[in-house]
Amino acid sequence: MSFSPSRRRFLKGTSLIVGGAALALGGGSLVASGALTPNDAPTQSGERLTPPPTLSVRREAAFVRAALFTAASPVRLAGHAVSTLTYGGSVPGPTLRLHEGDHVRLHFRNRTAEHTSLHLHGLPLSPEADAPFGHQMPGEARDIEFDVPAGAAGTYWYHPHAHGDVARQLFAGLAGAVVVAGPLDDEPGLRDADDRLIILKDFSLSGGQVNAHAPLDGQGKHGSMTLVNGQHRPVLHATSGTLRLRLLNASTARPYRLALQDHELHLIATDGGLIEKPVALTELLLAPGERAEVLVRLRGAGRFELQRLPYNNGAVDQGSADSLLTVHAPAGLRPVRLPHVLASVERLDPATAVATRRLVFDATFPLRFHINGQFFDPARTDFTGRRGTLELWELENAHAFDHPFHLHSFGVQVLERGGLPEPFRAWRDVVNLRGGERVKIAVPLQRFTGRTVFHCHVAEHEDRGMMGVLEVRD
Ligand code: C2O
Ligand code: CU
Ligand code: CU
């Protein structure tokens, strides 16, 4: 697909709101209320894009210590004063910046009045360190210790994981980025790019608060304003002729089909870090929880919009496009040369797999979601695998909504989608399943033993049962 004049014309009539979008529920179809409170419109747009604060860390050689807390705090979102749940007092939370080879001890404290937790999404933590079944009560703390292995450079994130409350707490603003640097970041093609975090998260506000979920939002709440790093339509003033955008979908449910006006996106990293060589795209879909890194070679001076294109995930039809951010390119910038070679991504041989599993994602009316007909039960183990073996998982979406699959502790590679081989090798931890789609993935159970979870990353679906348990043993 390319940018046609008709599409550009179409994009002019952008709309801020999902109001009026058709919401499908079960067999019927409803229309979302278009009524907005005055609080629901941004009061500030066009500010300079600011990155989230950086979490301060104490470094002694490769030993890294940091502390992060959750608390209800006052923040500004799109110009509104809002009191909401935060990590470290800001929305998004402070960015945890690490390096391959780091040994990390992260002290987490819950200073809110409710139970919550901290999950480091996508980093290869053991099930024990990740502790996906646990949470901290008000005032409680826990230390999370882990190593950042070689080859892990990439963009990850953190968010709460207290089952049943994930969607509400994440929607309220509990999310932040983790950026892992590695030796390839020092190569000229990456080093000289203007490196930016772009955290996409939608909000709805009223009365100085983030709106709670209404009953229908159980299918996946879409906020009325889509913000970038908590800002409405900010402006990115480019400082290099090549941008490196680290895109993170921190929304509970909203997918983003993204394009940059008049520019190609050169994909360099997926969830699991750098891929083997840049892949040129005109658009890319970022499912909830998913990350991608792209290089953009700016085509001279001008203003270019990062757009969210129309997309229907079967639950909500985002029928009109929206502008998320404007890139402002001054005259005189020179793009840097694209790297030809990035990382090497291990080739997994499906012939060596010791198990083939089938996971069917579906729903029951009203608004309960399951895998293989079963709702999440932390006491039940759904699959047992052996450490050091390779498994093939056939993911089948028997439902009409998109369900982005996610597995903790173990990276996966997509082998086939809809019977077609995946065009390039990449490590991932989120794999979107479109309505009716079948996707085959390779799951190497490397390094860790223990019990962990896989689930749909639409947080509302996960809270409503769409999660299972994997145990890996020796
Ligand atoms: Cu992003 Cu189980 O989580
Ligand atoms: Cu995760
Ligand atoms: Cu789902």
Side-chain angles (χ1 to χ4, degrees), residues 262-279:
D262 300 331
H263 288 79
E264 271 187 329
L265 307 173
H266 298 274
L267 183 75
I268 56 165
T270 53
D271 300 302
L274 295 162
I275 55 177
E276 299 198 299
K277 53 178 198 270
V279 174

Side-chain angles (χ1 to χ4, degrees), residues 47-66:
E47 299 169 305
R48 182 177 287 263
L49 175 71
T50 38
T54 296
L55 187 66
S56 70
V57 300
R58 273 201 297 139
R59 274 189 176 273
E60 285 153 35
F63 215 87
V64 178
R65 286 163 192 275

Side-chain angles (χ1 to χ4, degrees), residues 20-32 216 219 312 314-317 365 401:
L23 294 175
L25 175 66
S29 158
L30 312 170
V31 172
L216 256 182
Q219 67 179 344
N312 185 347
V316 174
D317 186 1
F365 190 83
F401 297 3

Side-chain angles (χ1 to χ4, degrees), residues 74 79 156 189 288 301 462 474:
Y156 306 89
E462 169 194 344
D474 272 326

Side-chain angles (χ1 to χ4, degrees), residues 2-238:
S2 62
F3 284 99
S4 64
S6 62
R7 181 149 144 227
R8 231 175 267 148
R9 184 157 19 89
F10 176 63
L11 292 177
K12 282 234 170 86
T14 57
S15 142
L16 281 185
I17 52 171
V18 185
L23 294 175
L25 175 66
S29 158
L30 312 170
V31 172
S33 152
L36 295 177
T37 64
N39 254 332
D40 239 344
T43 58
Q44 199 158 32
S45 307
E47 299 169 305
R48 182 177 287 263
L49 175 71
T50 38
T54 296
L55 187 66
S56 70
V57 300
R58 273 201 297 139
R59 274 189 176 273
E60 285 153 35
F63 215 87
V64 178
R65 286 163 192 275
L68 186 61
F69 62 89
T70 45
S73 311
V75 296
R76 289 196 83 78
L77 290 173
H80 294 277
V82 176
S83 171
T84 193
L85 293 175
T86 70
Y87 284 113
S90 68
V91 173
T95 303
L96 174 57
R97 294 190 175 271
L98 300 173
H99 202 279
E100 289 182 9
D102 283 348
H103 308 286
V104 184
R105 181 182 293 165
L106 179 58
H107 181 73
F108 169 65
R109 182 173 297 279
N110 176 9
R111 292 194 193 145
T112 70
E114 53 183 291
H115 75 171
T116 188
S117 70
L118 175 70
H119 166 56
L120 295 162
H121 175 129
L123 288 169
L125 268 66
S126 68
E128 189 190 354
D130 182 33
F133 303 98
H135 57 252
Q136 282 63 56
M137 296 304 289
E140 277 185 353
R142 114 175 156 100
D143 282 336
I144 308 172
E145 274 197 67
F146 60 99
D147 293 333
V148 183
T155 306
Y156 306 89
W157 65 303
Y158 60 84
H159 63 76
H161 220 285
H163 180 65
D165 292 302
V166 177
R168 181 178 52 82
Q169 294 184 345
L170 174 57
F171 192 80
L174 285 185
V178 181
V179 172
V180 176
L184 278 162
D185 294 302
D186 297 328
E187 296 294 317
L190 297 182
R191 183 195 62 205
D192 299 331
D194 184 356
D195 189 332
R196 303 289 188 129
L197 257 175
I198 306 287
I199 303 177
L200 302 169
K201 168 72 179 72
D202 51 357
F203 291 90
S204 305
L205 306 176
S206 53
Q209 305 266 304
V210 176
N211 281 348
H213 280 62
L216 256 182
D217 290 330
Q219 67 179 344
K221 186 172 175 68
H222 283 48
S224 56
M225 324 187 263
T226 297
L227 306 187
V228 178
N229 301 353
Q231 298 173 287
H232 184 252
R233 294 185 177 168
V235 179
L236 187 170
H237 293 268

